[in-house]
Amino acid sequence: MKYYILLVLCVLFWSGNFVFGRLISNDISPIELSFYRWFFVLLILLPFILVHYKNLLIILKKEYLILFVLGGLGIAGFNTFLYYGLQTTTATNALLINSSTPIFIIIFSAIIFKISISKIQLFGVFLSTIGVFYLILKGEIEHIFELHFTIGDLWIIAACIDWALYSVLLKYKPKELNTFEFFSITTLLGTLILYLVFIYQGYNLEFTFLENKEVLYSLIYIVIFPSILSFYFWNRATIEIGANKAGQFAHLMPIFGAMLAYIFLKEKVLVYHLIGTIFIAVGIYLSIFLKRNKS
């Protein structure tokens, strides 16, 4: 039972990342939030990295390409796209669109690893795609002819694609690295990539934004809970109960997120949210869980 509790807490913390990212979206730029989030996580991990640097360096020299790719996608890319999206879309919408990520994983698995997709899976992908577009259009179908999309929703779609590609490419994770070592080295590489983008965009390493208490407290939450604790809880529980069962808990995010968005952001859950959610949920069931139940 305790492992299921850990997974529930893990997903709850991840949902909070969407909400608090939205909360401070007007006070700190997306690239700043993404960089400083992982910069502070890296500081916490630094003692471990320094103790094990010889082994990590040996593996980095041998597997630098895949480690840079995974660090770029999982650490640098996903959260940056997410925070850009949260500037102009609601946390509720972002969480609902994010629930379509398993569909992109199926697509990338088929493309990269030639894993066949059944007809029922294709139908599930179609339904989930309809649900995502319904959310992007906010239930107003005529927007598709006006091309009146919310740019924030498109950033969230980019984040979903990024995370799906990262998840599929995890198959190439160097076997010499345990889970915590892998997290440490990809955090280091991802933060380096973010720093280069951070400097290129004209920012300097300064911490005046922390004078804003809302930003400070939100960043403390984001660093400790979604970044470090969720990672630990997810891996601890997944080892014990298996990835298939653990993966299903990710679909609690829209529920937790909607509750947190209502409490902290005063966002309302509207009819088009519910309709879009139904399409996505049915699509995910058909494309993933129905096949799994038959196997």
Side-chain angles (χ1 to χ4, degrees):
M1 177 60 70
K2 69 177 181 179
Y3 297 112
Y4 292 105
I5 294 174
L6 289 181
L7 284 170
V8 170
L9 289 174
C10 168
V11 173
L12 174 62
F13 297 156
W14 275 338
S15 302
N17 180 43
F18 283 71
V19 173
F20 285 101
R22 172 63 176 166
L23 181 67
I24 60 177
S25 60
N26 293 325
D27 300 310
I28 183 171
S29 72
I31 189 63
E32 285 181 295
L33 178 55
S34 190
F35 169 70
Y36 283 114
R37 168 187 177 170
W38 290 109
F39 173 77
F40 287 120
V41 171
L42 181 60
L43 288 183
I44 295 172
L45 295 175
L46 197 56
F48 175 84
I49 293 174
L50 291 176
V51 169
H52 299 275
Y53 81 94
K54 289 184 178 179
N55 182 51
L56 295 177
L57 188 59
I58 291 171
I59 298 172
L60 176 59
K61 287 180 178 179
K62 187 171 63 173
E63 303 282 359
Y64 66 91
L65 182 57
I66 188 60
L67 288 172
F68 264 104
V69 169
L70 291 172
L73 290 171
I75 303 298
F78 173 75
N79 290 284
T80 304
F81 294 152
L82 170 65
Y83 295 143
Y84 271 108
L86 289 172
Q87 285 192 311
T88 51
T89 193
T90 65
T92 302
N93 242 41
L95 281 155
L96 290 169
I97 294 171
N98 183 72
S99 67
S100 67
T101 300
I103 302 303
F104 291 110
I105 291 176
I106 289 175
I107 294 171
F108 282 128
S109 295
I111 294 173
I112 297 173
F113 298 119
K114 309 300 181 184
I115 297 175
S116 61
I117 304 178
S118 66
K119 291 181 180 179
I120 195 68
Q121 282 184 305
L122 283 174
F123 185 60
V125 169
F126 173 75
L127 286 182
S128 288
T129 302
I130 293 296
V132 170
F133 271 95
Y134 195 81
L135 287 171
I136 291 174
L137 297 171
K138 295 181 171 44
E140 300 179 26
I141 303 300
E142 64 271 18
H143 283 181
I144 198 168
F145 301 107
E146 302 168 6
L147 296 178
H148 187 194
F149 294 96
T150 302
I151 189 65
D153 292 331
L154 299 181
W155 276 114
I156 302 302
I157 288 289
C160 293
I161 293 172
D162 177 290
W163 189 256
L165 185 58
Y166 168 78
S167 300
V168 171
L169 292 179
L170 274 177
K171 185 174 182 178
Y172 295 116
K173 180 188 81 68
K175 293 182 174 59
E176 301 94 329
L177 294 172
N178 64 37
T179 307
F180 196 77
E181 290 172 335
F182 174 72
F183 176 62
S184 298
I185 198 166
T186 51
T187 296
L188 173 63
L189 298 176
T191 305
L192 175 61
I193 294 170
L194 282 170
Y195 180 68
L196 295 176
V197 177
F198 180 82
I199 294 299
Y200 177 78
Q201 292 192 3
Y203 293 102
N204 296 311
L205 195 61
E206 55 185 8
F207 303 93
T208 55
F209 64 90
L210 295 178
E211 296 173 3
N212 183 325
K213 289 186 178 180
E214 201 168 72
V215 174
L216 174 61
Y217 295 146
S218 295
L219 192 58
I220 290 173
Y221 169 85
I222 290 171
V223 167
I224 295 174
F225 293 93
S227 303
I228 297 176
L229 288 182
S230 281
F231 174 83
Y232 175 75
F233 292 165
W234 181 265
N235 286 285
R236 176 83 183 275
T238 301
I239 290 171
E240 296 296 329
I241 71 170
N244 288 346
K245 290 181 180 179
Q248 298 185 36
F249 280 78
H251 301 296
L252 292 173
M253 286 182 67
I255 300 172
F256 288 144
M259 292 189 296
L260 292 172
Y262 177 80
I263 294 170
F264 292 101
L265 304 176
K266 310 302 179 186
E267 292 183 5
K268 297 179 180 179
V269 178
L270 303 175
V271 174
Y272 78 84
H273 287 131
L274 299 176
I275 295 174
T277 300
I278 291 170
F279 274 106
I280 292 173
V282 173
I284 288 172
Y285 175 77
L286 292 177
S287 60
I288 300 175
F289 301 129
L290 184 62
K291 181 181 179 183
R292 182 177 299 157
N293 290 337
K294 288 182 177 180
S295 59

